[in-house]
Amino acid sequence: MNQESNIAAQELRKVNFIEEIIEADLAAGKFKSIMTRFPPEPNGYLHLGHAKSICLNFGLAEKYGGATNLRYDDTNPTKEDTEYVDSIKEDIAWLGFKWDKELYASDYFDQLYAWAEEMIMKGLAYVDDQTQEEIRLGRGTVDKPGTPSPWRDRSPEENLRLFREMRDGKYADGEKVLRAKIDMAHPNMMFRDPLMYRIKHASHHRTGDKWCIYPMYDYTHGQCDSIEHITHSICTLEFDVHRPLYDWFIETLGIFPSHQYEFARLNLTYTLMSKRKLLELVQKGLVSGWDDPRMPTLCGVRRRGYTPESLKMFCEKIGVSKREQLIDLQLLEWCVRQDLNARSNRYMAVQDPIKVTITNYPEGQVEWFDCPLNPAEPEGPSRKVPFSREILIDRADFMEDAPNKFFRLRPDGEVRLKYTYIIKCNEIVKDENGRIVELRCTYDPTTHPKTGQWRSVKGTIHWVSVPHAKEIVIRNYDKLFTLPDMSEVPEDKDYKDFLNPDSLNIGKGFAEPALLEDASGIAVQFERTGYYVKDPDSTPEVPVFNRTVTLKDSYKPE
Ligand code: ATP
Ligand code: MG
């Protein structure tokens, strides 16, 4: 096959660069099956960026018949907590993935410690008494080699004794560190005697007070991968400078050759995905919690009504690449709409009502219309919608001085009430401030959708019968931030200066009664307005609905 048709064939199969590597490895017989891992640090809740990593790691294992471990990278005892451990499991399960084993870097603390002693005895690691600042200065710069520490040439026996004393709690935080002895003039700064262990007198969420020394990321991650026989260790691009060191520790210890591959992290417009900043929003009370529906966390978007299916569709669409890019939030919303449009039940709800009295409809009469829950299945499951003499319509669906193109209700104009009759507006009633409080209309009994004659009018609007209306609380959510690219916060400003003051509007709404019986478990569509999901704050007296996403947007993915 020539190169062009090769590329064309690959595009047809939509193989990303990591899949290409895996397929080549499998074809060459390097591994019998693949093993991946998802390695969150339990210091916060998972966000949409993590969803990309989860879909990638678990997706690859599913596709190539391998497995994925959930491995907590828990080497920073002061920032980590079991609350986060639990939420991470809940979120991965919600996305619909099953991990092979649940593991912790801390499971390997004994092994990592033993390897450190082994490296000391081989003259490949030493205890350094310099301060953090001295170590930093001693590293040199990219163009200037570092200066060796005065403690660099301690004997293995002395290093072993000191390292054991560090472990046994003889020294205070920061007094000593263990460093790998590599090359203080190495062009890759990572190799200028990287730290392996630091002293931290802190309780760990799993190992308690057993340890007062903790391994550093670079000394931990590759070895954990190796112990678990991870074949493809996938991480975000900023770790590419760490890769040579990842390989160095594995080669030096002569253990299973895991390999690291990097892909571009997910960046979304109007969105921040740093756990540190998300934590600050929570701690300062700028959002209601990690699961505030405006948060990009998985528990937040879940509460907002996003579905696992829509997130997977999104991850599929954005693909995996080596180039950083900013993805349009509208693409994510488009995926949410695609999924909900196909599956969600429809109901009518009015948010800013005007009362309509149908003067020629008999007082006390009620007609129940059988209406499909999803228009894609006209003969499928249905709900019963009551119609009566007094109804509510949305204020936006009436205009007194309407332009020609306004196809909803206007004085002396006609409109179809969804699922029922055509009505005509005869009279406007206003209060003393000139605000419209009532429309007096007549209906055309010959336009019953099943038994009447077909007659066309330009517009169809939604409505709710007054005596049957259920009052609900509606939370309309919008973007949390106002800046499209949150990596471009100017230096003299703070990211919190770009919080959107209109990101939440709470109001009342009136819904058809069947809404409160909905048992679909996913967001529903409020016809003509948007998708809404019932919030856990709901009580039987006060149901609360969160806007998942508006109904329409001019956005179309390429
Ligand atoms: P944050 O910067 O938000 O704290 P992190 O990278 O420190 O994120 P980890 O818990 O260490 O968070 O991440 C677990 C995995 O998820 C890592 O493999 C990491 O590369 C990946 N990941 C984190 N953020 C993103 C993102 N925005 N896009 C894709 N993958 C991500
Ligand atoms: Mg991290």
Side-chain angles (χ1 to χ4, degrees):
M1 224 186 322
N2 67 31
Q3 203 185 343
E4 246 169 65
S5 61
N6 195 358
I7 291 169
Q10 276 179 4
E11 272 175 9
L12 215 63
R13 287 182 50 229
K14 283 204 169 167
V15 179
N16 67 47
F17 78 96
I18 296 179
E19 292 171 334
E20 267 176 50
I21 293 168
I22 292 175
E23 291 184 7
D25 285 350
L26 290 173
K30 248 174 139 174
F31 312 104
K32 277 205 214 68
S33 66
I34 68 158
M35 191 76 208
T36 61
R37 89 285 171 262
F38 175 65
E41 185 179 353
N43 62 350
Y45 283 70
L46 298 182
H47 52 59
L48 293 166
H50 294 119
K52 177 173 177 184
S53 173
I54 292 169
C55 287
L56 178 59
N57 279 298
F58 285 86
L60 288 170
E62 278 177 5
K63 181 165 179 181
Y64 295 102
T68 306
N69 284 341
L70 166 59
R71 183 193 330 124
Y72 291 98
D73 172 20
D74 58 347
T75 54
N76 288 318
T78 51
K79 292 195 182 137
E80 296 159 3
D81 198 279
T82 45
E83 173 196 348
Y84 302 132
V85 169
D86 295 340
S87 76
I88 288 168
K89 282 190 268 188
E90 189 183 344
D91 289 346
I92 300 172
W94 175 69
L95 281 174
F97 293 112
K98 273 210 172 76
W99 51 88
D100 189 36
K101 295 193 190 68
E102 175 188 335
L103 298 161
Y104 296 79
S106 56
D107 294 339
Y108 310 123
F109 280 174
D110 285 315
Q111 175 66 73
L112 290 167
Y113 179 85
W115 278 330
E117 287 205 348
E118 201 180 304
M119 285 182 57
I120 289 173
M121 292 319 289
K122 284 187 183 154
L124 291 169
Y126 63 99
V127 172
D128 194 347
D129 297 1
Q130 292 185 106
T131 63
Q132 209 182 340
E133 182 63 5
E134 286 165 343
I135 292 175
R136 194 181 61 77
L137 292 173
R139 277 244 158 80
T141 62
V142 187
D143 342 278
K144 203 178 104 226
T147 349
S149 162
W151 312 104
R152 197 171 194 263
D153 292 318
R154 280 173 160 155
S155 69
E157 291 70 26
E158 190 186 359
N159 282 318
L160 187 64
R161 178 178 58 80
L162 292 170
F163 185 50
R164 289 184 174 173
E165 288 176 357
M166 281 169 62
R167 176 199 61 190
D168 297 338
K170 196 160 171 208
Y171 305 107
D173 289 7
E175 226 176 296
K176 286 181 166 41
V177 293
L178 184 73
R179 295 176 75 175
K181 190 170 177 177
I182 311 181
D183 180 357
M184 287 306 287
H186 201 287
N188 181 341
M189 302 275 292
M190 290 277 164
F191 280 81
R192 297 188 186 173
D193 293 6
L195 265 56
M196 291 166 61
Y197 272 90
R198 67 200 187 294
I199 301 172
K200 198 161 231 166
H201 291 270
S203 267
H204 185 278
H205 71 106
R206 295 193 86 231
T207 57
D209 294 320
K210 176 172 176 191
W211 297 92
C212 62
I213 55 171
Y214 291 95
M216 306 297 291
Y217 174 85
D218 286 313
Y219 179 67
T220 308
H221 204 89
Q223 287 93 308
C224 293
D225 284 344
S226 177
I227 295 168
E228 295 172 19
H229 286 210
I230 302 300
T231 54
H232 299 81
S233 174
I234 301 160
C235 61
T236 42
L237 281 184
E238 65 274 19
F239 286 96
D240 69 340
V241 290
H242 296 250
R243 191 187 340 106
L245 191 54
Y246 176 106
D247 293 339
W248 188 86
F249 278 118
I250 286 180
E251 280 159 25
T252 302
L253 294 167
I255 53 182
F256 180 87
S258 294
H259 283 288
Q260 176 187 302
Y261 303 91
E262 307 89 21
F263 72 102
R265 62 191 298 118
L266 168 65
N267 301 303
L268 261 186
T269 56
Y270 302 102
T271 307
L272 259 185
M273 282 188 289
S274 134
K275 280 187 274 185
R276 187 175 55 76
K277 289 176 183 158
L278 297 178
L279 176 64
E280 191 187 3
L281 294 176
V282 174
Q283 285 175 336
K284 296 220 157 107
L286 296 166
V287 293
S288 67
W290 284 101
D291 67 346
D292 186 303
R294 292 165 294 182
M295 290 280 270
T297 50
L298 296 186
C299 54
V301 301
R302 174 161 73 233
R303 190 165 176 185
R304 174 104 175 226
Y306 288 19
T307 56
E309 290 78 2
S310 59
L311 296 186
K312 286 183 190 166
M313 190 195 305
F314 174 68
C315 290
E316 189 69 32
K317 285 228 175 292
I318 57 179
V320 179
S321 82
K322 275 239 168 235
R323 194 167 48 91
E324 284 272 355
Q325 51 175 335
L326 184 62
I327 305 287
D328 198 326
L329 178 61
Q330 294 184 94
L331 174 62
L332 175 57
E333 295 186 336
W334 183 86
C335 293
V336 174
R337 276 188 205 103
Q338 286 289 108
D339 183 40
L340 291 178
N341 179 46
R343 301 197 289 143
S344 80
N345 288 338
R346 269 62 168 173
Y347 299 98
M348 294 193 286
V350 171
Q351 302 196 29
D352 181 13
I354 311 184
K355 188 172 98 172
V356 173
T357 305
I358 299 163
T359 52
N360 62 339
Y361 196 83
E363 246 169 278
Q365 181 170 317
V366 179
E367 272 175 276
W368 291 84
F369 287 84
D370 209 23
C371 311
L373 280 169
N374 190 316
E377 294 175 70
E379 304 306 321
S382 63
R383 88 271 190 187
K384 294 229 178 312
V385 181
F387 179 72
S388 68
R389 181 181 159 92
E390 284 190 351
I391 62 168
L392 302 174
I393 66 166
D394 249 315
R395 195 163 284 278
D397 285 334
F398 178 79
M399 212 169 173
E400 204 171 349
D401 299 306
N404 278 343
K405 287 236 159 96
F406 186 82
F407 297 130
R408 291 162 272 170
L409 196 58
R410 64 170 81 206
D412 297 320
E414 281 190 321
V415 78
R416 166 78 72 179
L417 292 177
K418 184 131 202 185
Y419 306 119
T420 69
Y421 303 103
I422 291 173
I423 59 168
K424 180 176 181 187
C425 175
N426 307 308
E427 195 186 334
I428 305 172
V429 184
K430 295 182 177 173
D431 65 10
E432 61 273 23
N433 302 317
R435 185 177 156 85
I436 300 171
V437 290
E438 186 188 348
L439 301 173
R440 298 181 68 80
C441 301
T442 44
Y443 84 114
D444 178 351
T446 69
T447 57
H448 186 289
K450 288 236 166 74
T451 57
Q453 308 149 335
W454 190 81
R455 175 151 86 74
S456 108
V457 277
K458 279 257 158 88
T460 300
I461 63 173
H462 61 282
W463 53 276
V464 172
S465 161
V466 172
H468 305 92
K470 301 288 178 193
E471 197 173 315
I472 59 175
V473 170
I474 295 184
R475 297 175 179 164
N476 282 318
Y477 291 103
D478 205 341
K479 308 177 177 71
L480 187 52
F481 293 101
T482 54
L483 188 67
D485 186 347
M486 287 299 289
S487 70
E488 288 185 343
V489 171
E491 276 197 20
D492 57 335
K493 288 228 183 323
D494 182 78
Y495 76 94
K496 296 189 285 310
D497 296 334
F498 295 93
L499 278 166
N500 176 8
D502 295 321
S503 60
L504 170 58
N505 279 297
I506 303 180
K508 236 179 8 193
F510 302 91
E512 58 168 280
L515 171 68
L516 302 189
E517 260 88 70
D518 183 80
S520 64
I522 60 168
V524 300
Q525 187 191 102
F526 287 177
E527 300 201 54
R528 299 184 60 243
T529 48
Y531 293 95
Y532 286 81
V533 72
K534 198 166 182 183
D535 190 83
D537 284 346
S538 298
T539 63
E541 296 75 38
V542 192
V544 179
F545 282 83
N546 299 333
R547 182 166 71 198
T548 307
V549 66
T550 54
L551 194 58
K552 284 210 181 83
D553 191 335
S554 51
Y555 179 84
K556 289 236 165 53
E558 287 144 29

